[in-house]
Amino acid sequence: MRFILRGNLYGLLCRENRIPVKNTIVRLYRYNNQDAVVAATNALPKELFQIYSKAEVSEKSNDLLAETKTDENGMYTFDLDGNKLKYDGGPVEIILYYPDVPDYGQANQKPHKNFKEFGVRLNIFQPGWRQTNDNNLYATFNYIISTKNWCYILSLHDLWFIFGQLTVCQTNTPIPGVTVTAMDDDVISDDELGSAVTNSNGQFIIVYTSKKFKKTFLSPLINVETPLFPWGNGPDVYFKYATSAGEFHKEPSSRGRMKDRENVGNCFCVNLCLEEGPLDPPETDVIPGFFKIGQNRAYHILNNIDSTTGRTMGKAVAGWNDLAFFSNLSLLGSLNKKINSKPLEYKFQYEEWNAPGGAVVTPWTDIMKPDIANTVIGYTQELTGDIFNPIKITDYAIHPHPGEMEVFFDASDTWVKVPQLSNFVVNTNGLLINLISSKLMSGTVNMAGLVPGNNAASVQPLQKNRYFKLRMIKREEGNAATETIAGTSKEIALFNLLYSGVPQRGSWLPGTSTERGVACLDIKEMTGSGCVKITNSLTVKYTAANPNLGNVRVTMSGPGGPHVFPAIAHDTAGEEAHGEVAYSGSVAALPNCAYIVYVHADLKLTNGEWTHHDIWDHMAFCK
């Protein structure tokens, strides 16, 4: 039975403005204290909130069920294999884990010199599981961290937030598209804290660290808020305002010495207004086109695709490179409402190649509406007259979710028609379509009969990536004569196959799994003998396979240790590893107890937002 827990996590700034807890490790632990669970249901959130040290987090390792990471919207998903984890749907504890400083919008994620790993307990609860037609159990847990607790978490990272809204004073009308720069009024020289561009609601968030306002004439050797050793330790904030045409307004620096701006804390909310907004710059046409894949990693369709492998390349983060693509892909670029002063429409096509730089297998084929997942391409704005919610925002989407409006296609379900409403605004994130790439390449490989330790090719031939070019075409609505190619990618490597019937848990508790690769093991000394004890030797038989295979490793948990196995080399580079590996230590010297061995296989796959998790198998034995 699979248990799937989903939700969104938010932090509350200044009691009213919530932001997603993004790019953050979330851990789920089994919680066996039933009395504490009952008490937790009646407790206030502040009574359950708890900071754990690194050592306290480590003490919980035996109860760890799963680990995941929130996306840019604070969304997370746990997919638990109840049989593998011996989990029956009972109470859980959910913890944010901070081994380092996540990307919360600050320019530099380097931890400050006094940073120590920590965890944050959000809640202890019994998920409300519900069964669906696929026989999986689903539950939802959404959580908003209170202002006090969220700002305390941020302070442990030395993160300082300014959340503001810029409006026209007399009408309270939001002013979008303005670069707001926060300054610290200082004795020696004013420090720039950071800047941000206001959104359609006039809102902005500036994130910085204390180094920004602790500069002195001795910086960077000595950083301290000047004057030296003040009673208050926060910045004294004033603001400057600019557009692409340059700075058009600046508050006097003395504004930072007023009571509401002096020595502000690390969570500072401010309402700003100007007597009038900036003069509108001359309109410039954005050239509609397709440029990147993935909102989070933004792989350029030419510069970040390897011409020889079809995999990713050229990113500063090493782990983002040498990856094939899988799952839904966000295709990004730029968009306009019009082209040649006429309504714009666009479509995407794919072309399959037998290899990068090889030959065409399938000529250019239209990507149709059913091949596209929910995609918000823009929104409308309406003044409501409500002082607290002055503007109503309505998203326009391909395959809209509830509350969104439909983006229409032409009669063939091929061309996306850009809405022409006067109050329609194209999204600044550049999302054009969310391509369901499994429509291009999918399938299942039956691995029934595979024996751990044997070559995966003994059951099925080693699987291969497939290669596709993607391109965008734009035109005046309904006018074929104006069709223009607006961006063509290199051949990208794609892999969406699932391996079914993969043996799991060896001779101990045989079963199977379905994953995007093969990772299985058995213990040689127990093969065909059932649940027998290990005495003087321990040999792990393993098989791992995927055309984008990364590191393969065998580990073991249990008393004693550290437990070490030799490094595993690929038998077919980047595709397959199999064989046997013996425990490096003395098996006879191990304490008499229960142990678990694991095989982990990294899959070098990305959807443009994150890298596919590793796949694994495990087996228990008694010494």
Side-chain angles (χ1 to χ4, degrees):
M1 181 68 71
R2 301 193 80 87
F3 297 86
I4 299 172
L5 178 65
R6 296 170 175 160
N8 285 85
L9 303 179
Y10 298 95
L12 204 59
L13 283 178
C14 309
R15 303 186 181 277
E16 57 185 16
N17 302 302
R18 68 181 190 180
I19 62 173
V21 182
K22 60 182 181 178
N23 307 318
T24 302
I25 295 173
V26 188
R27 287 184 169 183
L28 197 69
Y29 292 84
R30 194 189 322 267
Y31 203 83
N32 297 318
N33 188 336
Q34 192 62 44
D35 291 339
V37 174
V38 173
T41 59
N42 298 315
L44 296 173
K46 66 180 181 180
E47 296 171 327
L48 295 173
F49 180 87
Q50 183 174 338
I51 301 293
Y52 289 128
S53 66
K54 177 182 178 182
E56 289 171 326
V57 173
S58 296
E59 289 174 1
K60 295 177 170 289
S61 59
N62 290 337
D63 292 320
L64 179 63
L65 291 171
E67 177 181 293
T68 187
K69 199 170 188 179
T70 57
D71 64 13
E72 289 292 312
N73 299 311
M75 181 179 292
Y76 68 90
T77 299
F78 289 110
D79 189 344
L80 310 176
D81 186 330
N83 295 327
K84 183 180 287 187
L85 297 170
K86 293 186 179 180
Y87 174 66
D88 61 2
V92 293
E93 180 179 20
I94 189 166
I95 290 176
L96 300 181
Y97 181 54
Y98 291 102
D100 49 29
V101 179
D103 181 2
Y104 283 166
Q106 72 275 28
N108 186 351
Q109 280 77 56
K110 183 179 180 181
H112 61 87
K113 64 179 181 180
N114 296 319
F115 176 81
K116 295 180 180 180
E117 289 186 29
F118 68 98
V120 180
R121 180 174 73 192
L122 299 183
N123 208 341
I124 301 166
F125 65 101
Q126 169 61 61
W129 301 112
R130 63 189 187 282
Q131 192 161 10
T132 59
N133 294 334
D134 59 6
N135 292 323
N136 294 328
L137 292 173
Y138 291 83
T140 300
F141 177 75
N142 299 317
Y143 192 83
I144 300 177
I145 305 172
S146 70
T147 299
K148 178 181 178 181
N149 291 338
W150 179 233
C151 293
Y152 180 67
I153 293 172
L154 297 176
S155 71
L156 295 178
H157 295 298
D158 187 29
L159 291 180
W160 296 64
F161 274 64
I162 298 175
F163 187 102
Q165 184 179 35
L166 179 64
T167 62
V168 176
C169 298
Q170 300 300 319
T171 63
N172 203 36
T173 303
I175 305 177
V178 171
T179 298
V180 179
T181 300
M183 303 292 296
D184 172 35
D185 178 33
D186 210 354
V187 172
I188 296 176
S189 63
D190 290 359
D191 306 316
E192 181 177 319
L193 303 177
S195 61
V197 179
T198 57
N199 64 13
S200 59
N201 295 323
Q203 296 174 328
F204 64 92
I205 296 179
I206 296 172
V207 188
Y208 60 102
T209 68
S210 63
K211 286 185 178 180
K212 288 287 188 176
F213 60 86
K214 290 184 177 179
K215 296 177 181 178
T216 72
F217 58 91
L218 295 176
S219 293
L221 298 177
I222 298 178
N223 289 326
V224 130
E225 170 71 337
T226 50
L228 298 180
F229 314 113
W231 291 109
N233 62 355
D236 307 319
V237 181
Y238 68 95
F239 294 96
K240 300 191 297 184
Y241 309 91
T243 64
S244 58
E247 184 177 305
F248 66 91
H249 184 72
K250 175 183 176 181
E251 295 180 340
S253 59
S254 59
R255 182 67 179 86
R257 292 293 179 180
M258 296 183 180
K259 186 176 181 180
D260 62 330
R261 298 278 192 88
E262 189 174 27
N263 291 321
V264 301
N266 75 309
C267 290
F268 176 52
C269 280
V270 61
N271 290 317
L272 304 172
C273 76
L274 299 173
E275 292 302 322
E276 60 181 5
L279 296 175
D280 292 331
E283 288 191 7
T284 57
D285 285 334
V286 172
I287 300 175
F290 165 45
F291 311 126
K292 298 179 181 180
I293 301 174
Q295 295 192 64
N296 184 35
R297 297 185 175 179
Y299 292 109
H300 193 277
I301 59 176
L302 299 178
N303 300 338
N304 296 133
I305 304 297
D306 191 313
S307 298
T308 60
T309 66
R311 296 191 179 102
T312 59
M313 61 170 283
K315 285 293 186 178
V317 180
W320 291 11
N321 296 322
D322 197 29
L323 308 177
F325 289 95
F326 83 108
S327 191
N328 290 2
L329 303 176
S330 296
L331 306 187
L332 310 178
S334 57
L335 198 59
N336 247 354
K337 290 166 62 174
K338 297 185 182 297
I339 181 172
N340 304 325
S341 300
K342 302 291 179 61
L344 171 71
E345 60 184 11
Y346 64 95
K347 70 177 180 179
F348 275 84
Q349 295 180 322
Y350 68 88
E351 182 179 60
E352 184 170 4
W353 290 57
N354 65 353
V360 174
V361 176
T362 304
W364 289 110
T365 303
D366 288 340
I367 292 172
M368 311 288 284
K369 184 177 180 181
D371 306 330
I372 302 173
N374 173 267
T375 306
V376 175
I377 68 168
Y379 54 90
T380 55
Q381 304 177 95
E382 299 175 65
L383 294 175
T384 65
D386 185 334
I387 190 172
F388 297 106
N389 295 289
I391 294 185
K392 177 184 177 183
I393 302 294
T394 303
D395 288 334
Y396 275 69
I398 303 168
H399 298 301
H401 288 154
E404 299 173 343
M405 297 298 290
E406 178 80 52
V407 171
F408 293 108
F409 279 68
D410 72 335
S412 67
D413 271 353
T414 301
W415 292 91
V416 183
K417 296 176 176 288
V418 179
Q420 297 297 305
L421 300 168
S422 60
N423 60 342
F424 177 78
V425 180
V426 174
N427 270 348
T428 57
N429 64 8
L431 182 58
L432 299 169
I433 66 167
N434 282 315
L435 172 63
I436 306 173
S437 74
S438 59
K439 298 283 189 174
L440 278 59
M441 185 257 194
S442 63
T444 302
V445 185
N446 187 353
M447 300 302 295
L450 175 64
V451 176
N454 290 353
N455 189 332
S458 64
V459 177
Q460 295 280 2
L462 294 181
Q463 303 304 307
K464 303 295 182 181
N465 293 327
R466 288 168 63 183
Y467 302 93
F468 296 86
K469 282 188 174 183
L470 302 172
R471 75 179 182 186
M472 175 185 173
I473 298 177
K474 61 186 178 183
R475 72 179 185 184
E476 296 174 11
E477 187 176 312
N479 187 352
T482 63
E483 291 183 13
T484 306
I485 297 173
T488 303
S489 74
K490 291 181 181 177
E491 300 92 329
I492 66 170
L494 188 64
F495 189 80
N496 280 316
L497 295 184
L498 293 174
Y499 296 75
S500 66
V502 179
Q504 297 283 275
R505 299 184 295 276
S507 304
W508 168 52
L509 189 63
T512 62
S513 71
T514 299
E515 297 274 10
R516 279 198 174 84
V518 173
C520 61
L521 60 74
D522 201 354
I523 295 176
K524 184 176 182 179
E525 289 78 2
M526 296 174 66
T527 303
S529 303
C531 192
V532 299
K533 290 185 177 181
I534 298 298
T535 55
N536 296 310
S537 66
L538 174 60
T539 309
V540 177
K541 302 163 64 177
Y542 63 87
T543 302
N546 181 280
N548 308 284
L549 188 65
N551 184 37
V552 180
R553 57 202 179 278
V554 173
T555 61
M556 185 170 81
S557 64
H563 302 300
V564 178
F565 288 83
I568 293 175
H570 290 188
D571 295 275
T572 302
E575 297 186 61
E576 194 266 350
H578 73 280
E580 299 180 356
V581 62
Y583 179 62
S584 298
S586 170
V587 177
L590 291 173
N592 293 333
C593 195
Y595 297 83
I596 303 177
V597 289
Y598 299 84
V599 62
H600 294 264
D602 292 334
L603 301 185
K604 300 172 75 171
L605 294 169
T606 183
N607 59 0
E609 316 302 333
W610 41 270
T611 302
H612 196 290
H613 60 78
D614 66 344
I615 57 175
W616 54 281
D617 187 17
H618 71 304
M619 183 173 174
F621 69 88
C622 291
K623 160 66 169 59

